[in-house]
Amino acid sequence: MPTNFTVVPVDARADGGPDEAAAAAEGAEGAEGAEGSEAPGPPEGEPDCQDPGDGNPRENSPFISHTDVDQESFLEGKNMALFEEEMDSNPMVSSLLNKLANYTNLSQGVVEHEEHEEDSKRREVKSPRMGTFIGVYLPCLQNILGVILFLRLTWIVGAAGVLESFLIVSMCCTCTMLTAISMSAIATNGVVPAGGSYYMISRSLGPEFGGAVGLCFYLGTTFAGAMYILGTIEIFLTYISPSAAIIQAETAEGEAAAMLHNMRVYGTCTLALMATVVFVGVKYVNKLALVFLACVVLSILAIYAGVIKTAFDPPDIPVCLLGNRTLSRRGFDVCAKFHAANNGTVPTALWGLFCNTSMPNATCDEYFAQNNLTEIQGIPGVASGVLLDNLWSTYADKGALVERKGSLSVSVPEESRTSGLPYVLTDIMTYFTVLVGIYFPSVTGIMAGSNRSGDLRDAQKSIPTGTILAIVTTSFIYLSCIVLFGACIEGVVLRDKFGEALQGKLVIGMLAWPSPWVIVIGSFFSTCGAGLQSLTGAPRLLQAIARDGIIPFLQVFGHGKANGEPTWALLLTALICETGILIASLDSVAPILSMFFLMCYMFVNLACAVQTLLRTPNWRPRFRYYHWALSFLGMSLCLALMFICSWYYALVAMLIAGCIYKYIEYRGAEKEWGDGIRGLSLNAAHYALLRVEHGPPHTKNWRPQVLVMLSLDEEQRVKHPRLLSLTAQLKAGKGLTIVGSVLEGTYLDKHVEAQRAEENIRSLMGVEKTKGFCQLVVSSNLRDGMSHLIQSAGLGGMKHNTVLMAWPESWKQEDNTFSWKNFVETVRDTTAAQQALLVAKNVDLFPQNQERFSDGDIDVWWVVHDGGLLMLLPFLLRQHKVWRRCRMRIFTVAQVDDNSIQMKKDLQMFLYHLRISAEVEVVEMVESDISAFTYEKTLLMEQRSQMLKQMQLSKTEQEREAQLIHDRNTASHSVVVTRTQAPSTPDKVQMTWTKEKLIAEKYKNKEPGVSGFKDLFSLKPNQSNVRRMHTAVKLNGVVLSRSRGAQLVLLNMPGPPRNRQGDENYMEFLEVLTEGLDRVLLVRGSGREVVTIYS
């Protein structure tokens, strides 16, 4: 967190009172403190000035809260004058400790922001006083114990049996316990501000994981709200007021569908009401939290009291069985076929349900006719021994009859009809994994303590203790309830999800003491309160994610009302919650939120494991009872539970998280939170670099790892941005790219310009989509800086093997006499370093990444074999969209003695084996005499070289020699004037040597004093230079005849001369070789093979 510090004198007075002065000294709120407190002015007679320090901007301190530093307060005493320059950016230790001691974390609850004027006084913030019990233990208890305990736990015990239910609860509780251990380690590794679990994950695993898991946690909390609302409506419509149903079923088969429609209607209305309550008066929701918690605690105590009571006084709750089938006791009272009336027997209401008439001779259901009706006690008590019958699972298909094992039953030959008969049927198919998915939401809620870290007196002590104690308590409650339910309640009653055999009463309520209504009302209010808490917490979580700015399309949800309430986030939360309510089935919604919570818990464990294994210096949790193996076990258990609950839901949840991760990565998460994934990447990079250090890559793995040499102008902007476009087209994001540049000067003087230049280069790399690294060097001269880059850029095995640079277009200009020297020396450096060199000529004519060539050729002139780089480059370029439609043509040069036909066949076969498709043409260069143009061009080149050497004399000599040249030219042109009647000569020194000037020199008068230039005008061209120029002129003509219209021409780049005296001639040769071509890429290989015909 960025941090500022404010030093306020102790005698400051807001209203003259000591309390206000103390509050001002503490400086609890940075923003308002900056407005409400003013630094004291200097005493009279002293100048109001501040030491400017070293002129550097102040840095943000990596501590807790910050306000502007008062320079005058720092420099008030003389005994710290030695550190005056450091104080401009670094606070004194006394001030730092004072701010840390007075630090108070703002409450994470609802903060009503008061409107204030510009000159409003600083408000005093009360330090939090909540301890472990109130601040962590009870909130976790309230969030963990909830709707599943009251509505589904008895049914889970009945379907899975005591043993498998024990296994389900043990797995889920172990998962949350391991997660709590990991969470405790993270939560005690520094201060956890607003955001709770989202903050912990994002700051530990980075913005990509943080955004993905944060949204998953948000969706889980939102669907939890939908589940609690559905639980509230189920309790109301099933157990409190069944007659309140709006939609009535016409037949027994339509009761389930009608119930779902009623759940949707009532759920939508309840959601709207709860959202309005949260929007208008959320502070009352927090105040009612203790009331809702009291309901939960009283309900659980009533359950235990009821279990104790069954040991010596079991309740009288008869259950009617027909054979071994359980009957729904809603349409009859007497569990018998006949009952006595008026000294006789008459059929009961049950008879009328199974028979076509109420007469004794009526035709009845065959199973009803052959089996007897019996009554058993639904809750026989803890001492009845029913536990042995309930140990094993009794899974069933959807619509199956709830039957009692061990009861006498006469089977019928053919299955009788069951529709319309008062049997208790299973509403969904039950098996182990389904029950895990339905049960897991009952153990969520362990993050409640960390979410309230700002309200705690000592968060680093309270969060681990309170959370782990809450998990131990709830685990004991769940495990003991499983055993007690199995020991007290009959199996058919346990499997009766909606209590139909108990006249539609809540099963767990019938067990409770003193009244079933304790459980019914308590569970109703607890689920209602949990729904309100979810609708309160989820929007704030979304708001925290939106304000982090890592997911751009969510930024609108970071805004809210003037008091900070997340209005837009609440609206989105209500809409998502409505989708869960439209599902309308508690059993269908529970696995959905299980996925999201499990994914959140999995990444909490991953964060702890990564931080522990990396041993980052900042990883110093106060909670010591953790280990990376426990975190890894917790992560594995979470992943296993995800696929156990529902493999397709797990895949969907992982797909959602993966899409969010890639989206944040694609948009470029520019947040640096010191996360563990960054450390993991560094460790992986370190390992990989050590692995590739052992030797050079195989030819099959060779690809150009490019060092791009950029030139900068006076404002540190890139001169040739198209060079980066070419790099992106050549690399397409693969391999290593280092973008380098050199600033001339010393680092102490140029470090600001260097930073600006690096920012310009990085921004241009982003525009051109060039993925790589930027390396800028400040050197005393450009020549040494470029040499340093070629030698030292990269690290270990990740070093460049190719240098890409632009052709120095201005090398002939007078004011740029050293550009060609730097260029030639760079060519020599790359050769010495055994690196390939690519020189782009006319680089500003190269295409941008947005351009597309619809047609054209990429021509390769293969004169000298350079390891195959000439053929590899066009293949790589054609992978990019810019060059994809271009054809590749390869030209090679045949001498007189060569068999051009055989050369063409061999080249075609070679390309076939290389798997490169290209047109092949062999060009014959017939030997011819050296033309007069070549001779004359060589002469001009050498005379120009001599002139350049003369210009490197001292200033006095330059002036003298320039005057001699002027006089000589005047005399020469006078002769020309007399003979040709030409106009008078100009009086300006001519620095360009032309053909006319040479003709004039033939008629010059031999005057004394110009002997120093005698050799200059009577030069005979060097025969070696003549031959080189002849090759350049001849090859240029051949290239122009065939490749003038090509989109790109790749040429072998001849090496510089061994004799450094001819460097400027080398530049002239290359200029002649590429004259008349638009886009040229000169290629000089590294001396090793880069393509192979083998697989």
Side-chain angles (χ1 to χ4, degrees):
M1 294 170 51
T3 307
N4 286 336
F5 298 89
T6 301
V7 175
V8 181
V10 176
D11 59 350
R13 294 289 186 271
D15 290 329
D19 294 340
E20 288 80 3
E26 288 182 3
E29 293 189 13
E32 297 181 6
E35 298 172 3
S37 63
E38 297 180 357
E44 293 182 7
E46 294 185 14
D48 185 4
C49 62
Q50 291 185 352
D51 186 358
D54 58 0
N56 293 331
R58 297 171 182 169
E59 298 179 358
N60 288 336
S61 172
F63 291 98
I64 297 169
S65 67
H66 94 242
T67 54
D68 292 336
V69 179
D70 190 339
Q71 181 79 9
E72 293 178 358
S73 300
F74 277 141
L75 305 182
E76 202 168 355
K78 302 288 186 183
N79 55 350
M80 285 295 174
L82 184 61
F83 298 95
E84 286 179 1
E85 294 184 358
E86 284 81 358
M87 289 177 187
D88 191 37
S89 58
N90 300 322
M92 289 179 63
V93 173
S94 59
S95 173
L96 174 65
L97 295 178
N98 181 51
K99 293 303 295 183
L100 289 178
N102 292 329
Y103 167 68
T104 57
N105 203 354
L106 287 179
S107 170
Q108 262 59 158
V110 180
V111 179
E112 300 293 343
H113 298 274
E114 299 177 2
E115 297 181 358
H116 60 281
E117 302 296 332
E118 289 295 327
D119 57 347
S120 63
K121 293 175 291 185
R122 182 177 306 178
R123 287 178 297 161
E124 182 178 359
V125 175
K126 296 179 181 179
S127 59
R129 288 290 177 265
M130 296 176 67
T132 303
F133 186 75
I134 298 293
V136 180
Y137 180 76
L138 291 183
C140 286
L141 215 62
Q142 179 189 1
N143 280 267
I144 295 173
L145 300 172
V147 61
I148 301 296
L149 170 64
F150 300 120
L151 296 184
R152 292 292 182 269
L153 191 58
T154 54
W155 171 72
I156 291 174
V157 174
V162 172
L163 295 180
E164 290 189 24
S165 299
F166 209 87
L167 177 62
I168 292 173
V169 175
S170 299
M171 286 172 55
C172 296
C173 291
T174 302
C175 175
T176 55
M177 177 60 78
L178 293 174
T179 304
I181 292 173
S182 300
M183 184 194 71
S184 299
I186 298 174
T188 57
N189 188 51
V191 178
V192 179
S197 56
Y198 161 69
Y199 182 92
M200 290 190 296
I201 297 170
S202 60
R203 270 56 177 179
S204 297
L205 292 179
E208 295 90 354
F209 277 111
V213 181
L215 274 187
C216 284
F217 190 49
Y218 163 73
L219 291 173
T221 307
T222 305
F223 274 100
M227 184 187 74
Y228 290 131
I229 292 174
L230 290 175
T232 303
I233 303 305
E234 182 177 316
I235 293 171
F236 177 73
L237 290 178
T238 307
Y239 306 114
I240 296 178
S241 179
S243 60
I246 298 174
I247 302 171
Q248 301 291 338
E250 297 180 356
T251 61
E253 291 82 359
E255 287 183 359
M259 182 64 180
L260 293 180
H261 290 313
N262 285 312
M263 298 274 282
R264 293 185 181 103
V265 173
Y266 274 98
T268 303
C269 296
T270 306
L271 173 63
L273 179 63
M274 287 185 175
T276 305
V277 170
V278 171
F279 178 75
V280 175
V282 69
K283 53 187 175 183
Y284 301 110
V285 176
N286 290 340
K287 291 180 179 179
L288 289 172
L290 284 178
V291 177
F292 298 139
L293 177 61
C295 293
V296 176
V297 174
L298 287 176
S299 300
I300 293 173
L301 292 177
I303 294 172
Y304 282 112
V307 170
I308 295 172
K309 181 177 177 295
T310 61
F312 54 86
D313 185 16
D316 182 19
I317 303 174
V319 175
C320 187
L321 298 179
L322 175 63
N324 63 351
R325 298 177 181 180
T326 310
L327 297 181
S328 175
R329 203 156 190 164
R330 290 193 176 185
F332 64 94
D333 293 327
V334 180
C335 182
K337 297 180 181 180
F338 300 94
H339 67 95
N342 298 328
N343 298 325
T345 57
V346 295
T348 61
L350 191 58
W351 178 277
L353 294 174
F354 281 92
C355 303
N356 55 359
T357 65
S358 59
M359 300 302 293
N361 57 354
T363 303
C364 297
D365 179 74
E366 186 175 359
Y367 188 84
F368 179 75
Q370 295 189 18
N371 286 275
N372 296 323
L373 288 165
T374 56
E375 271 191 341
I376 61 172
Q377 287 297 322
I379 303 180
V382 72
S384 63
V386 74
L387 176 64
L388 297 176
D389 298 330
N390 293 330
L391 283 178
W392 310 108
S393 60
T394 311
Y395 298 123
D397 293 330
K398 181 179 180 180
L401 296 162
V402 177
E403 298 177 338
R404 183 173 186 264
K405 293 180 289 184
S407 295
L408 295 176
S409 174
V410 178
S411 59
V412 294
E414 296 181 3
E415 184 59 35
S416 304
R417 62 183 179 89
T418 58
S419 59
L421 298 180
Y423 290 124
V424 178
L425 305 176
T426 57
D427 63 331
I428 64 171
M429 185 178 180
T430 55
Y431 45 93
F432 181 81
T433 57
V434 167
L435 299 183
V436 173
I438 293 174
Y439 173 75
F440 187 80
S442 66
V443 298
T444 60
I446 62 173
M447 301 290 188
S450 62
N451 291 341
R452 297 166 181 257
S453 59
D455 299 329
L456 304 174
R457 187 183 305 114
D458 186 358
Q460 298 192 1
K461 177 183 177 183
S462 297
I463 289 177
T465 307
T467 304
I468 292 175
L469 279 179
I471 293 176
V472 170
T473 304
T474 52
S475 300
F476 172 77
I477 291 173
Y478 282 127
L479 293 173
S480 62
C481 282
I482 286 174
V483 176
L484 295 178
F485 291 163
C488 293
I489 306 175
E490 183 64 48
V492 290
V493 178
L494 287 173
R495 294 194 297 277
D496 184 5
K497 183 188 290 186
F498 301 107
E500 295 179 42
L502 308 179
Q503 298 179 339
K505 295 178 181 177
L506 185 61
V507 174
I508 197 172
M510 301 303 291
L511 176 63
W513 181 87
S515 170
W517 287 103
V518 175
I519 296 290
V520 174
I521 301 300
S523 61
F524 177 80
F525 281 111
S526 68
T527 51
C528 184
L532 281 172
Q533 292 285 352
S534 296
L535 289 179
T536 304
R540 279 157 183 76
L541 180 59
L542 180 62
Q543 188 180 43
I545 299 172
R547 286 182 173 174
D548 264 342
I550 57 176
I551 305 177
F553 68 84
L554 289 181
Q555 288 184 357
V556 65
F557 299 108
H559 307 296
K561 294 193 297 185
N563 64 350
E565 291 301 315
T567 308
W568 292 106
L570 176 62
L571 181 62
L572 179 65
T573 302
L575 291 176
I576 297 175
C577 194
E578 176 64 17
T579 61
I581 287 173
L582 292 178
I583 296 174
S585 172
L586 185 69
D587 302 324
S588 300
V589 174
I592 297 176
L593 65 103
S594 294
M595 292 302 115
F596 293 123
F597 276 119
L598 278 167
M599 183 165 291
C600 177
Y601 295 166
M602 180 176 70
F603 281 104
V604 170
N605 286 293
L606 174 63
C608 182
V610 166
Q611 298 277 27
T612 307
L613 289 174
L614 290 180
R615 295 177 181 153
T616 51
N618 190 51
W619 180 246
R620 303 183 301 273
R622 289 187 179 275
F623 181 76
R624 298 295 181 186
Y625 306 101
Y626 70 94
H627 192 270
W628 67 266
L630 293 177
S631 301
F632 187 79
L633 179 62
M635 183 184 68
S636 304
L637 189 55
C638 288
L639 185 63
L641 283 174
M642 285 178 66
F643 283 92
I644 287 174
C645 293
S646 174
W647 63 269
Y648 46 89
Y649 278 166
L651 291 179
V652 170
M654 296 173 74
L655 179 63
I656 292 173
C659 291
I660 298 169
Y661 179 94
K662 296 305 292 183
Y663 173 77
I664 298 174
E665 187 181 52
Y666 170 74
R667 290 302 299 261
E670 298 177 356
K671 303 289 183 183
E672 173 53 59
W673 289 330
D675 52 88
I677 293 299
R678 179 65 59 89
L680 188 63
S681 302
L682 289 174
N683 273 24
H686 175 246
Y687 175 77
L689 283 173
L690 291 177
R691 288 290 303 273
V692 300
E693 178 74 12
H694 296 306
H698 192 272
T699 303
K700 291 185 288 186
N701 297 328
W702 194 95
R703 65 166 62 246
Q705 318 283 9
V706 181
L707 168 63
V708 187
M709 307 288 279
L710 294 180
S711 299
L712 304 175
D713 59 15
E714 291 78 7
E715 298 180 357
Q716 285 77 47
R717 289 180 300 195
V718 179
K719 287 184 179 179
H720 303 293
R722 298 290 180 94
L723 206 58
L724 287 180
S725 302
L726 176 62
T727 306
Q729 296 158 21
L730 183 65
K731 302 286 294 176
K734 304 295 190 299
L736 175 69
T737 301
I738 302 174
V739 181
S741 187
V742 180
L743 279 183
E744 198 167 2
T746 61
Y747 186 71
L748 287 178
D749 298 332
K750 294 283 188 178
H751 69 278
V752 176
E753 289 86 345
Q755 291 177 357
R756 184 164 62 247
E758 191 167 343
E759 290 174 1
N760 293 338
I761 294 174
R762 289 187 189 278
S763 63
L764 184 62
M765 290 173 67
V767 171
E768 298 293 341
K769 297 181 179 179
T770 304
K771 297 181 179 179
F773 308 100
C774 177
Q775 189 164 352
L776 193 134
V777 172
V778 180
S779 179
S780 57
N781 58 74
L782 295 177
R783 167 75 195 92
D784 290 343
M786 296 175 75
S787 179
H788 295 159
L789 274 178
I790 292 173
Q791 294 176 62
S792 61
L795 179 65
M798 288 295 287
K799 288 184 67 68
H800 60 280
N801 53 30
T802 305
V803 177
L804 172 62
M805 60 191 304
W807 172 263
E809 303 288 348
S810 59
W811 70 274
K812 289 185 178 181
Q813 295 180 4
E814 300 173 24
D815 58 349
N816 202 12
T817 55
F818 293 101
S819 66
W820 59 270
K821 287 190 174 182
N822 292 337
F823 177 80
V824 178
E825 291 300 321
T826 302
V827 176
R828 288 195 173 99
D829 285 344
T830 57
T831 304
Q834 295 184 335
Q835 296 172 2
L837 177 65
L838 310 178
V839 179
K841 196 166 185 291
N842 301 324
V843 68
D844 294 329
L845 299 178
F846 276 65
Q848 291 181 319
N849 292 326
Q850 295 78 20
E851 299 180 33
R852 301 287 185 272
F853 287 133
S854 58
D855 195 12
D857 300 310
I858 300 177
D859 288 354
V860 178
W861 285 86
W862 192 21
V863 181
V864 180
H865 181 57
D866 58 353
L869 185 59
L870 266 174
M871 286 171 286
L872 184 62
L873 290 176
F875 170 78
L876 295 175
L877 283 174
R878 290 180 67 229
Q879 308 301 310
H880 197 273
K881 295 178 181 178
V882 174
W883 306 93
R884 187 165 294 163
R885 296 181 180 273
C886 293
R887 297 176 299 275
M888 181 178 170
R889 299 191 301 179
I890 296 182
F891 298 90
T892 188
V893 177
Q895 302 297 326
V896 177
D897 298 336
D898 296 329
N899 185 343
S900 58
I901 298 176
Q902 187 62 37
M903 280 180 65
K904 184 173 182 178
K905 289 182 179 180
D906 293 342
L907 183 55
Q908 287 174 336
M909 182 60 65
F910 182 57
L911 291 177
Y912 174 77
H913 287 305
L914 287 178
R915 291 88 64 200
I916 294 177
S917 58
E919 299 178 19
V920 176
E921 187 172 344
V922 178
V923 179
E924 296 182 356
M925 286 188 65
V926 183
E927 290 188 2
S928 61
D929 294 335
I930 298 175
S931 64
F933 173 75
T934 301
Y935 189 87
E936 180 182 332
K937 202 168 184 66
T938 308
L939 185 62
L940 287 171
M941 176 188 70
E942 293 189 350
Q943 286 182 344
R944 182 181 183 280
S945 298
Q946 292 295 330
M947 174 59 69
L948 290 174
K949 290 178 182 178
Q950 292 292 336
M951 291 185 66
Q952 295 175 14
L953 299 173
S954 65
K955 184 176 180 181
T956 305
E957 292 175 339
Q958 285 182 14
E959 293 176 355
R960 183 170 56 82
E961 296 292 352
Q963 184 62 41
L964 290 175
I965 294 172
H966 177 271
D967 296 341
R968 184 66 177 170
N969 283 332
T970 303
S972 300
H973 282 282
S974 298
V975 176
V976 176
V977 167
T978 56
R979 296 190 180 188
T980 62
Q981 301 298 320
S984 61
T985 67
D987 57 353
K988 190 176 182 181
V989 178
Q990 297 293 325
M991 303 304 295
T992 303
W993 297 88
T994 61
K995 187 175 181 181
E996 290 78 14
K997 189 179 241 188
L998 288 172
I999 295 173
E1001 290 298 330
K1002 294 178 182 178
Y1003 302 99
K1004 63 187 177 183
N1005 296 323
K1006 295 183 179 180
E1007 297 179 1
V1010 294
S1011 58
F1013 277 81
K1014 177 179 179 181
D1015 295 336
L1016 182 62
F1017 296 108
S1018 59
L1019 277 175
K1020 291 186 178 180
N1022 184 283
Q1023 290 303 312
S1024 174
N1025 289 339
V1026 171
R1027 289 196 305 272
R1028 289 170 182 267
M1029 183 63 75
H1030 176 66
T1031 303
V1033 170
K1034 196 74 184 291
L1035 189 56
N1036 176 256
V1038 174
V1039 173
L1040 280 177
S1041 65
R1042 287 169 170 80
S1043 300
R1044 186 186 294 271
Q1047 301 290 7
L1048 179 64
V1049 176
L1050 284 85
L1051 273 169
N1052 280 115
M1053 181 179 179
R1058 292 186 178 88
N1059 182 11
R1060 295 175 185 266
Q1061 300 299 322
D1063 285 354
E1064 64 275 15
N1065 299 337
Y1066 173 68
M1067 299 294 291
E1068 191 71 44
F1069 293 146
L1070 295 181
E1071 194 75 65
V1072 171
L1073 180 64
T1074 57
E1075 190 174 0
L1077 297 173
D1078 289 338
R1079 302 183 192 91
V1080 183
L1081 193 62
L1082 295 171
V1083 181
R1084 181 164 175 77
S1086 61
R1088 60 162 294 170
E1089 293 292 334
V1090 300
V1091 293
T1092 178
I1093 64 175
Y1094 300 104
S1095 60

